[in-house]
Amino acid sequence: MTAVGIIGAGAIGHTVGTLLTAAGWCDRLLVTSGTAESARALVTDLEDMAQVVSSPVRPQSADLPDLRGCDAVVVCPRAPFTNGAVRDVRMAGLAANAPVIAGIARAFAGYTGTVIVVTNPVDAMTWLFTTASGVGRVYGIGSATDSARYRLTLARLLAVPVESVEGRVVGEHGDAAVVCAAATRVGGLPAAIPLRDVHDELGARPRRINAGLGRARSGPAGAVLVALTAALGLTDTVTELSVVNPDRTACRGMPLRFTAGVPTVVDPGLDPVEQRLLIDADRKIRAAHTTVRHHTEQDSAS
């Protein structure tokens, strides 16, 4: 039996639960949230869906410790705060979300399953969860969504089918994202990439979603589903995920090739300019680590 846990019953948690219930490949779906009421509400909604579509998935509300028995856990809570940032919008949640993520991470010390982090700023939160928990298989969602947006954008700008575009975005899920233009192929061939137009649209897409819906949900939830099926060995694929390096000093989005659930880092094929941009992204993410490092240790009062 395969069990997946969802921490956070907000926009992302709800959408992930919906996708997992419709997909039908897991047996149990355990949901916990900031309030028992919100967790029960999501479970009730998913139960209705499971009945309508004849899904074998059994949603149930649970306490946080119960999720340690899951094969994988999706971490997507959001602390209450007002985001008034115009630049580095995702980084604005760093101070508010860090204690929430660190608290959850400490509850998963010794966990041997897979953790998918969605909470922003996702690169910093992935590093924080990994460091505070000691869990070995922690992946952050962000660069996969950026890469999908890049392929859609480039296909529109070049007036070609999106299926003909091979390209990705790595580094930070944020303003320091690195477009891998040098390695991009269109119809199997190198192409001239209108980088300014690409960056403009990559910034505009999430703003457009936020203006109309309040928050992106379907794209990130889809990236979670791909990451889960890859990490659990259900599919072999390459996807861009945020991972912590072996010495745990940095965390950034990189392409990972999953084979039977085992990941290996794929060279993104950066040219010298893109390599320098990736170094800049690393510096920025490390600076964020510094501001939340104190959350990696137990509070003195606990």
Side-chain angles (χ1 to χ4, degrees):
M1 295 181 69
T2 301
V4 176
I6 297 177
I7 303 174
I12 300 294
H14 199 154
T15 310
V16 168
T18 300
L19 288 178
L20 287 171
T21 302
W25 53 258
C26 65
D27 303 281
R28 292 190 302 147
L29 192 58
L30 277 63
V31 179
T32 189
S33 190
T35 66
E37 181 182 23
S38 61
R40 287 195 300 267
L42 177 51
V43 166
T44 301
D45 194 28
L46 295 176
E47 285 176 332
D48 290 349
M49 179 187 181
Q51 178 62 30
V52 169
V53 303
S54 300
S55 170
V57 179
R58 291 183 289 121
Q60 61 188 85
S61 57
D63 294 326
L64 186 63
D66 298 328
L67 273 64
R68 291 178 58 93
C70 292
D71 300 277
V73 175
V74 180
V75 180
C76 50
R78 182 183 186 276
F81 72 97
T82 300
N83 192 343
V86 177
R87 296 181 59 83
D88 273 335
V89 174
R90 298 177 184 94
M91 196 64 76
L94 181 66
N97 287 327
V100 176
I101 297 302
I104 295 170
R106 287 192 289 269
F108 277 83
Y111 178 64
T112 57
T114 295
V115 176
I116 309 295
V117 178
V118 187
T119 304
N120 276 320
V122 69
D123 306 292
M125 295 300 102
T126 302
W127 175 86
L128 181 59
F129 193 103
T130 302
T131 305
S133 68
V135 174
R137 289 171 60 85
V138 183
Y139 308 103
I141 295 300
S143 292
T145 310
D146 292 336
S147 296
R149 290 169 174 168
Y150 171 48
R151 291 189 291 269
L152 286 166
T153 297
L154 192 58
R156 180 181 62 80
L157 290 172
L158 299 183
V160 298
V162 68
E163 294 78 13
S164 70
V165 178
E166 302 173 46
R168 55 175 52 102
V169 176
V170 298
E172 186 203 19
H173 179 50
D175 292 3
V178 180
V179 174
C180 304
T184 296
R185 297 293 181 266
V186 178
L189 299 173
I193 309 301
L195 275 174
R196 177 172 294 182
D197 292 336
V198 164
H199 280 291
D200 286 346
E201 177 60 10
L202 290 182
R205 287 185 76 88
R207 289 196 297 269
R208 195 154 62 239
I209 293 169
N210 292 346
L213 295 177
R215 190 179 180 191
R217 55 200 75 194
S218 298
V224 169
L225 194 64
V226 170
L228 283 172
T229 56
L232 293 175
L234 301 177
T235 58
D236 291 346
T237 191
V238 177
T239 186
E240 297 78 25
L241 296 172
S242 187
V243 288
V244 177
N245 63 3
D247 63 7
R248 299 195 175 189
T249 60
C251 184
R252 62 185 180 187
M254 291 292 286
L256 298 181
R257 184 184 305 279
F258 283 90
T259 305
V262 178
T264 55
V265 177
V266 176
D267 183 355
L270 305 180
D271 67 16
V273 172
E274 294 163 352
Q275 290 172 358
R276 288 195 294 272
L277 290 173
L278 187 60
I279 291 171
D280 290 342
D282 277 350
R283 290 197 186 102
K284 179 181 176 183
I285 296 168
R286 283 193 178 98
H289 296 169
T290 301
T291 67
V292 298
R293 189 179 300 277
H294 61 286
H295 290 296
T296 63
E297 299 178 357
Q298 287 278 5
D299 294 337
S300 58
S302 61

